[in-house]
Amino acid sequence: MMEKRVKELHPCFGHGKNKGRIHLPVCPGCNIECNFCDRKINTSENRPGVTSAILTPTEALDALKRALEICPDITVAGIAGPGDTLASNNAIKTFHLIKEKYPGLLKCMSTNGLLLKERADELIELGIDTLTVTVNAVDPKIQAKVISGIFYNGKRYEGEEAARILIENQLEGIRKVSAAGITVKVNTVLIMEINRNHIKDIAKAVREAGAKLYNIIPLIPQHKLKDCVEPECIDIDGARREAEEYIEVFRHCQRCRADAVGIPGQKDYGDQIYLKRINHKDTFSHG
């Protein structure tokens, strides 16, 4: 059963639909080359992987202070990129500062899960309340079509070898953190040409690993998958119905930016919080 506090206070995990969250963009680098990912710094696009700034952990704490003054309904401090939260130490450093300064806030992290198996103990010790892991396939043949490669232990892997490493680390990481009491949500990007008929398998596998909630996100055709079709409402609904046979499904995802601030679906205060701008080339990198 999902922890009562999480259901009450987190707008993405329960009934706290009038609760706010802040995404603190402290993670520039990523260790996976997803074929649909196009990370950017701008103020115009409303989607994951986009932010108006990259902050240091100390700057993030200052941003959180300003956000709470503007929007007292914020109950969740989250870190969702724009790179991966475990590819550097920035997210964990930020959460340590938050834990000390704002112990009453829920601490929420999103990750691609490549390093989750080996960094799970750090998250458990830190006291992360909720964790979202993006799992787009549990079959290496399918996963290999979603990613071009991974950067792992100082080496780049491609194809099904990369896919196998990623899937194993994701599922084992979910097992470890969920066994420790962390509430886990899994995101899957629905790609009609690649994983549409694989949703049941993903839902079943992540539920068996300990995930409590499942979120199906329609593909935004871009980057290497720019020629794929964007799933329609009927496609998303069908996939959700299949997943519901195995796991509770989350249905009101807003596909938030990595610097979102406020109550989802209502006013966003990000432009009042993040004033710093950083050059795209100097910020986004792998590793």
Side-chain angles (χ1 to χ4, degrees), residues 70-184:
I70 294 172
C71 182
D73 293 316
I74 290 174
T75 54
V76 180
I79 301 179
D84 186 63
T85 51
L86 296 178
S88 71
N89 291 321
N90 291 7
I92 289 176
K93 287 179 180 177
T94 303
F95 278 127
H96 275 295
L97 294 175
I98 293 170
K99 182 178 181 180
E100 181 179 343
K101 183 74 173 178
Y102 302 101
L105 290 179
L106 287 179
K107 296 179 292 299
C108 176
M109 176 186 281
S110 297
T111 178
N112 59 38
L114 178 60
L115 296 178
L116 183 55
K117 179 174 73 171
E118 54 206 70
R119 303 201 72 175
D121 290 339
E122 294 177 72
L123 303 186
I124 294 166
E125 181 182 357
L126 176 59
I128 290 291
D129 297 287
T130 64
L131 182 73
T132 294
V133 186
T134 298
V135 181
N136 293 316
V138 291
D139 179 335
K141 287 184 172 59
I142 297 174
Q143 183 69 276
K145 297 176 182 178
V146 180
I147 61 174
S148 295
I150 65 172
F151 296 85
Y152 185 61
N153 290 339
K155 182 180 176 181
R156 185 176 185 273
Y157 296 85
E158 297 180 345
E160 291 184 28
E161 183 181 18
R164 277 191 293 271
I165 293 170
L166 176 58
I167 293 166
E168 177 186 336
N169 289 4
Q170 288 174 328
L171 294 179
E172 181 57 29
I174 291 171
R175 289 186 192 99
K176 290 178 74 172
V177 298
S178 61
I182 296 173
T183 301
V184 177

